[in-house]
Amino acid sequence: MKQGKFITLEGIDGAGKSTQLAWIVELLQRVGKSVVVTREPGGTALGEQLRAILLDKTMAMHAETEALLMFAARREHLDKVILPVLAQGQWVVSDRFTDASFAYQSGGRGLDSDKLAILEQWVQGGLQPDLTLFFDVPVEIGQERVSQIKNRDRFEQEQADFFQRVRAAYLERVKQFPDRIRIIDSSQSLAGVKDAVEQTLQPLLNYG
Ligand SMILES: Nc1ncnc2c1ncn2[C@@H]1O[C@H](COP(=O)(O)OP(=O)(O)O)[C@@H](O)[C@H]1O
Ligand SMILES: [Mg+2]
């Protein structure tokens, strides 16, 4: 059976990833794809427990601990969800994946990206998403959008300078992998972002 495709959504908090997820699923289902939606950190029973720890704002941890827990959750996610689902010919859409580790743990927290590259190779081998949508917004807009959230998590509660570094690291990844990662201008209206998503997915929607 033909392998499914693996699509990941990236961007700073408040960029609009979760909002666009339903639209992406609808576009794929319209052309007959069977789609599994998942997220990181999380996506498995163990991964969701690690997510709870990682997002708990009372849980202080070393930046390397944070990175290792992210990759531990990812190892489980690949084994239990991503790889088996793709092998069955279904498509996987994940709200965040490894680019987020480079953006948050390296860009945001300042970890050496070479260390993350070792974990990436260890956990994923050569596996990369087929397509990554990077929802890009200026930090002020992202911050404004999450300012409504009452109980912000350990990442959402970070300050603007943290998100500036995260965004810059994402843009570095885009430069490094221009064929895989596509930028979506998410400062537009919801309708504008939806159109941009549809255009960007078009080549995959036409794929047999
Ligand atoms: N293009 C947009 N214009 C205005 N508000 C938006 C837009 N996209 C998302 N939002 C709002 O911003 C907030 C954060 O969006 P969300 O999809 O949760 O972001 P993320 O998952 O990237 O953190 C939500 O309240 C959402 O309704
Ligand atoms: Mg979200």
Side-chain angles (χ1 to χ4, degrees):
M1 184 182 284
K2 192 164 169 186
Q3 276 274 119
K5 297 263 180 205
F6 180 28
I7 299 175
T8 61
L9 315 188
E10 299 287 356
I12 63 171
D13 291 83
K17 300 177 293 300
S18 304
T19 305
Q20 294 297 327
L21 195 56
W23 174 234
I24 292 166
V25 171
E26 188 184 325
L27 288 169
L28 293 173
Q29 286 176 341
R30 273 188 202 169
V31 293
K33 308 301 179 197
S34 168
V35 184
V36 171
V37 169
T38 187
R39 67 174 181 182
E40 289 208 350
T44 65
L46 191 154
E48 289 293 325
Q49 292 207 25
L50 291 175
R51 179 188 182 90
I53 292 168
L54 282 159
L55 298 192
D56 178 353
K57 61 170 164 278
T58 67
M59 193 69 78
M61 66 182 78
H62 192 284
E64 291 188 349
T65 308
E66 184 180 285
L68 290 164
L69 291 177
M70 290 287 183
F71 274 95
R74 184 162 298 134
R75 184 69 194 88
E76 205 60 19
H77 197 202
L78 281 160
D79 184 54
K80 302 288 190 303
V81 179
I82 299 171
L83 295 175
V85 166
L86 294 174
Q88 284 164 14
Q90 299 186 81
W91 289 42
V92 174
V93 181
S94 185
D95 193 336
R96 298 192 184 285
F97 191 62
T98 304
D99 296 308
S101 295
F102 283 89
Y104 281 74
Q105 280 70 55
S106 180
R109 304 282 190 226
L111 280 188
D112 179 354
S113 62
D114 289 347
K115 286 187 173 171
L116 296 180
I118 291 167
L119 292 174
E120 179 184 34
Q121 176 59 34
W122 186 17
V123 165
Q124 290 163 232
L127 182 107
Q128 290 293 337
D130 293 291
L131 175 69
T132 298
L133 302 182
F134 170 51
F135 291 89
D136 190 36
V137 280
V139 168
E140 309 76 64
I141 296 182
Q143 294 273 93
E144 169 60 27
R145 289 185 189 162
V146 295
S147 66
Q148 313 302 328
I149 303 174
K150 267 203 218 102
N151 253 324
R152 291 199 228 168
D153 69 36
R154 211 166 57 82
F155 294 99
E156 288 165 346
Q157 66 166 8
E158 289 289 345
Q159 302 301 308
D161 62 328
F162 176 85
F163 290 107
Q164 297 289 7
R165 295 194 301 275
V166 171
R167 184 185 182 201
Y170 267 132
L171 289 168
E172 242 346 276
R173 291 289 280 179
V174 175
K175 264 200 216 148
Q176 220 179 327
F177 304 102
D179 295 335
R180 172 173 65 83
I181 311 180
R182 307 294 301 278
I183 300 187
I184 305 284
D185 173 6
S186 305
S187 63
Q188 314 171 69
S189 67
L190 276 177
V193 180
K194 281 178 80 174
D195 284 349
V197 165
E198 186 170 4
Q199 273 185 27
T200 304
L201 283 182
Q202 209 59 55
L204 281 186
L205 298 176
N206 295 330
Y207 160 94

